Amino acid sequence: MNASTAKLTAIRGRWALAAIFLANGFLTGSWAPQIPVFLTRLEISKFTLGLLILLFGVGAVVAMTWCGHLISRHGSRTVLRWFALCGSLGLMVVALAPNVPLAAAAMIIFGGSIGGMDVAMNANAVVVERRLSRAVMSSSHGFWSLGGFAGGGLGGFAIQHYGHLAHAAAVTVFAFAVIAVAVRHLLTEDSPQAAEHHKFALPANPLVYLIGLMALLAMISEGAVLDWAALYLRQELGADLAVAGLAYAGFSGVMAITRFFGDGIRNRFGAVTTLRVSALVAAVGMLVAGLAPSPWLAIAAFAFCGFGIANMVPIIFSAGGNQEGMSSGTGMSVVTTIGYCGILVAPSAIGFVAEHSSFGPIFITMSGLLIIVLLMAGLAHRAEFAPAPAE
């Protein structure tokens, strides 16, 4: 393969990967406006809903744990292909579940396919970065946020006018079509990764766990908006389904736009400064959302929060992958595993709290967690040595 053909193949693989990120975000964003319907049609409490969301997280974490081993044996392209095709069907399985036991199984399947897809597509992004010799991670996550924006923004309208099953069917057809085309053009590793796959061992450096804690606090906030913002607007601020879906859509839309400029912002102002300002902006947005007296102010506040959250996770991941005394893969695995618990598992605890309180104080508490990230931002100084996050 000559140089020009290799470059064309790499570029095609880069855009195929962007489509996969978009599809994953679209599936995740489309789940957000389904949540209020899920709650009412199964006639369950917020606590039970929280447990079902916990099962989504359990499925995702188990799949993510397996993914590293699968990728080392079969490569990220193969693993991503199967998880992505299964993931495209996940929302439909959840929407069809007629009772709580089957809904629990559906949530595990949905969470496992989305979680495995997430790890495999991030691993494939590293392949693309190496082949192109430039960063694509931040913009790839931008496509994920763009998909979340579209899924959340269109979902509430579609459900209100056509019903939750028609919405889930349309999402499934779109996601499957995008993924089926994209997986054909994904890049493969230059060489097998098995030699790089070691037995599990916890790193001795405590700093990597503190970086993981920062990722956890940032992603708890992201998970709270994904899983509970629509219900907050619907039940406590009196919004209809179409308006309630705009909470996550606004959050994801602003986050997507910001992530496309993320590498340039960080290169200009530095990782630590960017992280501090981002955490402050996100904290202010979350605080205003928790205090908002109207749905539209809450939507604007969640969008402002997305502007801050956008660059936090890529910077924190970059810091985790650039720790001294350990491989980038080891540091990254610790930080991402701890961090993803925030977006996949922690929101279930919010359901328990909301059952005995309300969502306003919960979002105010999220603001406090983001202030902790601001105070810990100096620990991300290792990200100054890397132009973009790698995973």
Side-chain angles (χ1 to χ4, degrees):
M1 184 183 295
N2 59 44
S4 61
T5 303
K7 184 176 181 180
L8 182 61
T9 300
I11 292 173
R12 188 181 297 119
R14 186 266 178 279
W15 290 111
L17 181 65
I20 297 288
F21 269 88
L22 183 96
N24 185 283
F26 186 72
L27 286 163
T28 306
S30 296
W31 158 240
Q34 284 268 351
I35 292 174
V37 180
F38 192 65
L39 181 76
T40 55
R41 73 181 181 84
L42 294 180
E43 298 180 340
I44 56 178
S45 66
K46 294 175 186 174
F47 176 67
T48 302
L49 176 60
L51 291 178
L52 290 173
I53 292 173
L54 174 63
L55 291 178
F56 179 99
V58 169
V61 170
V62 170
M64 292 166 97
T65 303
W66 269 86
C67 240
H69 175 69
L70 292 173
I71 290 171
S72 71
R73 293 189 62 184
H74 305 291
S76 61
R77 177 184 178 179
T78 299
V79 175
L80 178 54
R81 175 187 298 156
W82 291 110
F83 271 113
L85 291 173
C86 290
S88 66
L89 306 175
L91 185 65
M92 193 70 223
V93 173
V94 172
L96 288 170
N99 53 50
V100 172
L102 289 178
M107 290 294 281
I108 293 173
I109 294 170
F110 188 30
S113 59
I114 291 295
M117 185 179 174
D118 194 287
V119 172
M121 69 189 188
N122 277 285
N124 195 257
V126 175
V127 178
V128 174
E129 288 183 325
R130 290 172 179 167
R131 200 72 61 85
L132 292 175
S133 299
R134 61 182 175 86
V136 301
M137 188 71 76
S138 183
S139 60
S140 294
H141 282 268
F143 281 105
W144 185 91
S145 298
L146 191 62
F149 169 73
L154 297 174
F157 176 86
I159 292 170
Q160 184 164 289
H161 289 81
Y162 303 106
H164 78 282
L165 283 176
H167 167 253
V171 169
T172 299
V173 170
F174 174 79
F176 187 88
V178 170
I179 290 167
V181 173
V183 293
R184 300 170 54 197
H185 303 289
L186 292 172
L187 298 183
T188 57
E189 285 78 359
D190 291 325
S191 57
Q193 298 182 358
E196 300 176 7
H197 187 67
H198 304 287
K199 291 183 179 180
F200 176 77
L202 292 174
N205 183 358
L207 184 58
V208 72
Y209 300 103
L210 293 176
I211 300 295
L213 175 62
M214 293 169 64
L216 175 68
L217 297 178
M219 297 181 80
I220 282 177
S221 300
E222 188 173 342
V225 178
L226 166 64
D227 288 320
W228 299 109
L231 204 59
Y232 170 49
L233 266 67
R234 178 82 169 138
Q235 293 192 348
E236 297 183 18
L237 298 182
D240 61 28
L241 275 174
V243 173
L246 295 177
Y248 183 67
F251 177 83
S252 294
V254 172
M255 189 161 61
I257 294 170
T258 305
R259 278 179 167 168
F260 285 118
F261 297 97
D263 291 332
I265 293 172
R266 194 176 86 183
N267 289 337
R268 179 171 182 180
F269 299 104
V272 172
T273 299
T274 302
L275 181 57
R276 282 176 177 151
V277 173
S278 297
L280 179 60
V281 168
V284 170
M286 197 69 80
L287 177 64
V288 174
L291 297 172
S294 69
W296 291 107
L297 179 58
I299 290 169
F302 282 128
F304 189 71
C305 181
F307 178 69
I309 290 284
N311 284 328
M312 292 176 65
V313 172
I315 290 173
I316 293 170
F317 278 12
S318 180
N322 286 281
Q323 293 299 305
E324 288 187 282
M326 68 183 72
S327 69
S328 61
T330 300
M332 188 64 67
S333 66
V334 171
V335 172
T336 53
T337 300
I338 296 174
Y340 274 109
C341 286
I343 198 170
L344 298 174
V345 178
S348 63
I350 295 175
F352 175 78
V353 175
E355 188 71 20
H356 300 84
S357 177
S358 61
F359 286 110
I362 290 173
F363 288 116
I364 293 171
T365 302
M366 296 297 106
S367 176
L369 298 183
L370 292 166
I371 292 295
I372 295 175
V373 177
L374 184 155
L375 297 175
M376 297 175 67
L379 299 178
H381 66 278
R382 292 294 300 179
E384 304 283 6
F385 298 94
E391 191 170 52

